[in-house]
Amino acid sequence: MPQRPLRTAVTLVTAAAASLALSAGPAPAADRPVDPKIVRDLVKAYLASAKYLDEKAAVADGYVPNRCSTDPAGHGSMGYHYFNPARYGSVDPAKPSALLFEDGKDGKRRLAGVEWIVLDSDQNLKTSKDRPSMFGGQKFEGPMPGHYPGMPIHYDLHVWLWKQNPNGLFDRWNPRVKCTAAPAPHTGKAHTGHGGKTAAAHAGSSGTAHKGSTGTAHTAH
């Protein structure tokens, strides 16, 4: 990778790791050095996802596009989720389970972030003893219902490596990400669940609900 993007990656993730250290406890900032493993893991995720700046590369690697996911309350958007079920369960920084794209000014989709998805072991929304974490103890959100028919109850973690999020690197909604609710995916085939049904959409800008694996409607996470 050219030196400039690499320097950008190091600067970005070092700042992110430093912010994690600042929130870790009451000790003075000078006494909380940045954990080098957090930096290495974030750089690894940044460099591994760089190839997906080209949306076609994402589709070729098995990431299936779904509709725009925007917070009905106006807190921002997650963009278009591109799910790769073969990577569900991954906590490898170099192997995200989903990619987050937004609409670019030129009409093309631009990579904004990455996401890891781990299935809930007991498939019970009321328990969370198996909640995973990455990047120095950053906990996943959930458990939550699936986002398309056949997707099980799961935990997920969003990381905004390619589009700065003023709410924080790991916040679910990014107010700077823009996408348009649409009746069909932009590229490739619609996601199908284990039952072979076409994927239901994430909640779009209209604030409509989407259906999980149980077939009951729920709002976007």
Side-chain angles (χ1 to χ4, degrees), residues 44-187:
K44 184 184 295 184
Y46 186 99
L47 297 179
S49 59
K51 66 181 292 188
Y52 303 125
L53 292 171
D54 180 353
E55 182 200 15
K56 293 180 180 178
V59 174
D61 275 1
Y63 289 94
V64 182
N66 276 250
R67 299 176 186 177
C68 169
S69 178
T70 298
D71 180 20
H75 296 128
S77 176
M78 290 183 232
Y80 303 97
H81 282 73
Y82 284 47
F83 293 110
N84 186 340
R87 289 189 171 178
Y88 289 174
S90 170
V91 289
D92 182 342
K95 295 180 179 180
S97 308
L99 305 172
L100 308 169
F101 284 85
E102 67 170 340
D103 289 321
K105 293 182 180 179
D106 59 359
K108 296 181 180 179
R109 289 189 179 172
R110 304 297 185 187
L111 183 64
V114 290
E115 180 180 355
W116 283 263
I117 295 169
V118 174
L119 304 185
D120 180 33
S121 61
D122 63 6
Q123 292 296 287
N124 186 343
L125 291 171
K126 297 181 179 180
T127 62
S128 58
K129 293 182 179 180
D130 60 337
R131 182 190 307 277
S133 63
M134 293 177 67
F135 305 113
Q138 182 67 37
K139 294 184 180 299
F140 280 53
E141 295 188 63
M144 65 189 76
H147 306 309
Y148 55 82
M151 184 180 187
I153 295 171
H154 65 282
Y155 302 90
D156 64 29
L157 177 65
H158 300 79
V159 186
W160 298 101
L161 289 175
W162 294 96
K163 183 85 171 188
Q164 183 182 17
N165 186 349
N167 293 332
L169 183 66
F170 302 106
D171 195 87
R172 67 174 67 178
W173 302 110
N174 189 334
R176 299 184 65 226
V177 168
K178 307 296 181 182
C179 63
T180 304
H186 177 68
T187 304

